[in-house]
Amino acid sequence: MIKRIRFRAVILLLSLFCNISIAESLRIYIDDEKDLLVFTGKVEPINIAGATNNMLLDAIGEYPIEFVPSSYKRALRIMSQQPHPTCLFNKVKTPIREANFLFSLPINLYLSRRLYIHSHADPLEETLLDKQGNVKSLPLLFDAHKNKLIVIASDFSYGPFLDEQLTQVSSENKVIREGSNHYDTVYRMFNLRRVDFLLAYPAEIYRHVKIDKATYQSYRMANSPEYILGHVMCNDTKVSRAFITKVNDIMVTLYKQESFIEAHLKYLPEEEHSITRRYIGTLK
């Protein structure tokens, strides 16, 4: 059943008529149209982030929040230049971000991105793989495949480990996709075989292939983190600091609940359940 729009989804114009002033509210900028529908309770979640974010927001309850559609680039500029308390969800920690913004405890956990190639393509050469069959590095991959392409979302962090490797890959090998709904747009380009490689979370690939029945080869990245964590990221204001504290208190409780674990497992193939459950057990 589709939930009714939550109280916390305060629209900017409506807030003018509320007892809560705009100055006291907290803005959450969202760069994905589908995420906005989930946040405001108009549609059910379709992935781990949506399900776990909903659990957090449901636990927060009534709170003076405004959800504002915005590109990540614009939201980042506003967060950096304006004093209004502002946050983004589903953000990976990087050194630059940590130096400039506040982060909550993890809200969701993803098994690290893997490198996907088309099922019809030849398997990668053994010289590109370590003894465990993992890709040694992206620079080495493209040194061997100078004419092949990988699709990358614009203004998007793949985590410090992969971000560093991607900087070493020639721009000639990268197709940059702009706009919102980045998970869907990069997958669509890969699925249509306009590029040769895709870096994606197993959960996202699982979500797509349940619909389109596509098959792919996948490789783990050697020495990559075992999982990636998504956080709430806010600018540093009194209101946003209080919000981060509230989020952290809730998350400590959610980590212990089976429903939080199930919010992850529901969107993963069964073979990934045990390792995901074990990783979630490390959150605190």
Side-chain angles (χ1 to χ4, degrees):
M1 181 182 296
I2 304 299
K3 300 177 182 177
R4 291 182 298 174
I5 298 177
R6 302 180 179 89
F7 170 85
R8 59 176 174 272
V10 181
I11 300 174
L12 196 56
L13 291 176
L14 292 180
S15 63
L16 295 173
F17 302 97
C18 295
N19 293 328
I20 302 169
S21 70
I22 291 179
E24 296 172 333
S25 64
L26 180 136
R27 293 175 187 161
I28 295 178
Y29 283 83
I30 303 173
D31 66 351
D32 189 304
E33 296 170 2
K34 293 181 180 178
D35 283 348
L36 181 61
L37 294 175
V38 173
F39 272 103
T40 54
K42 294 179 180 178
V43 301
E44 295 291 344
I46 59 170
N47 56 26
I48 291 172
T52 50
N53 290 336
N54 260 13
M55 291 187 70
L56 168 62
L57 292 171
D58 286 342
I60 287 174
E62 295 188 356
Y63 201 90
I65 290 176
E66 305 162 39
F67 292 111
V68 183
S70 171
S71 69
Y72 173 70
K73 186 179 295 186
R74 175 174 175 270
L76 200 63
R77 183 174 65 252
I78 292 171
M79 288 178 69
S80 302
Q81 298 175 355
Q82 297 184 13
H84 194 98
T86 304
C87 299
L88 302 172
F89 272 56
N90 308 328
K91 292 304 162 203
V92 176
K93 284 185 179 181
T94 67
I96 293 177
R97 289 176 177 177
E98 284 195 89
N100 292 281
F101 301 108
L102 305 175
F103 278 84
S104 71
L105 291 175
I107 312 302
N108 33 60
L109 179 150
Y110 282 91
L111 298 178
S112 284
R113 285 184 173 84
R114 296 175 189 167
L115 183 76
Y116 289 86
I117 67 176
H118 297 288
S119 56
H120 70 276
D122 293 334
L124 295 182
E125 302 91 320
E126 290 188 6
T127 55
L128 300 177
L129 309 177
D130 65 14
K131 293 180 179 179
Q132 288 73 45
N134 305 322
V135 177
K136 291 178 180 177
S137 76
L138 293 176
L140 184 64
L141 172 69
F142 286 101
D143 281 345
H145 296 282
K146 297 183 185 297
N147 297 319
K148 292 196 174 182
L149 299 172
I150 185 169
V151 60
I152 302 295
S154 175
D155 299 313
F156 186 83
S157 174
Y158 287 79
F161 178 82
L162 289 176
D163 286 348
E164 173 61 27
Q165 292 202 16
L166 285 167
T167 63
Q168 301 174 53
V169 174
S170 169
S171 60
E172 298 295 320
N173 298 113
K174 292 185 284 193
V175 176
I176 310 298
R177 291 292 296 174
E178 304 279 351
S180 61
N181 302 332
H182 41 260
Y183 289 115
D184 291 345
T185 55
V186 295
Y187 175 79
R188 189 176 303 116
M189 176 165 276
F190 176 67
N191 177 254
L192 292 173
R193 300 187 180 184
R194 294 175 182 170
V195 296
D196 306 285
F197 302 111
L198 172 69
L199 286 168
Y201 291 126
E204 284 301 311
I205 295 296
Y206 180 62
R207 175 169 68 89
H208 286 294
V209 301
K210 283 196 302 183
I211 298 171
D212 60 29
K213 310 303 179 184
T215 58
Y216 304 106
Q217 302 177 60
S218 71
Y219 295 84
R220 297 179 185 270
M221 295 300 302
N223 304 311
S224 66
E226 294 177 309
Y227 52 85
I228 299 294
L229 301 174
H231 306 257
V232 177
M233 183 178 84
C234 303
N235 59 354
D236 191 355
T237 71
K238 182 178 179 180
V239 171
S240 54
R241 285 196 300 272
F243 181 69
I244 289 288
T245 297
K246 186 176 183 67
V247 168
N248 289 347
D249 289 343
I250 290 170
M251 293 311 304
V252 169
T253 299
L254 287 182
Y255 294 154
K256 303 172 185 176
Q257 297 180 6
E258 182 65 22
S259 57
F260 179 76
I261 298 174
E262 288 298 326
H264 289 76
L265 303 187
K266 180 178 179 180
Y267 303 99
L268 286 168
E270 189 171 350
E271 60 267 23
E272 308 287 6
H273 285 195
S274 61
I275 192 169
T276 303
R277 183 180 290 275
R278 184 165 69 250
Y279 289 158
I280 291 174
T282 67
L283 299 180
K284 53 176 100 171

